[in-house]
Amino acid sequence: MSIYLTAIVKGKPDTVNPLRTVLLNMVANSRKEEACIQYDLHEAAGDLTFIFQEEWKDQSGLDLHNQQPYILAFVEQAGALTDDIIIYKTEKLA
């Protein structure tokens, strides 16, 4: 059963470009993972906000994703690069 996530990442004004680079690197690497069905990144114009739409094959695939070096590196840098991160695990209704 697929796992759906929406992650909202609020950047800091002085770190938005480095943050964008890190997030795009996460997209490139995540899409290579076997359990990744969808991993899209959107940017809210002029709002310093990035939105991920993710779909994972199953919970074990998502758990493996969360242990990847590039994800752990982002987690380590997140406090310096972001003001807030909200992650929603959702169910697809339609």
Side-chain angles (χ1 to χ4, degrees):
M1 185 164 132
S2 287
I3 305 292
Y4 299 92
L5 297 178
T6 299
I8 302 169
V9 179
K10 184 73 171 179
K12 295 180 180 183
D14 56 333
T15 65
V16 72
N17 288 328
L19 174 60
R20 184 183 295 111
T21 298
V22 169
L23 298 180
L24 288 170
N25 179 61
M26 289 170 44
V27 171
N29 283 292
S30 296
R31 287 179 174 171
K32 296 175 187 175
E33 293 182 48
E34 183 179 330
C36 181
I37 297 170
Q38 175 188 0
Y39 201 91
D40 295 337
L41 176 63
H42 304 265
E43 184 174 1
D47 191 32
L48 307 176
T49 301
F50 298 89
I51 302 165
F52 284 100
Q53 296 290 328
E54 305 176 30
E55 182 180 355
W56 295 93
K57 182 178 174 182
D58 52 29
Q59 187 63 51
S60 63
L62 177 58
D63 292 343
L64 182 61
H65 165 71
N66 288 330
Q67 296 305 311
Q68 296 301 310
Y70 53 90
I71 298 298
L72 296 175
F74 171 69
V75 170
E76 194 172 297
Q77 301 173 63
L81 294 175
T82 68
D83 277 337
D84 197 17
I85 299 173
I86 301 170
I87 300 174
Y88 296 99
K89 187 174 181 181
T90 64
E91 295 181 21
K92 187 172 183 178
L93 298 179

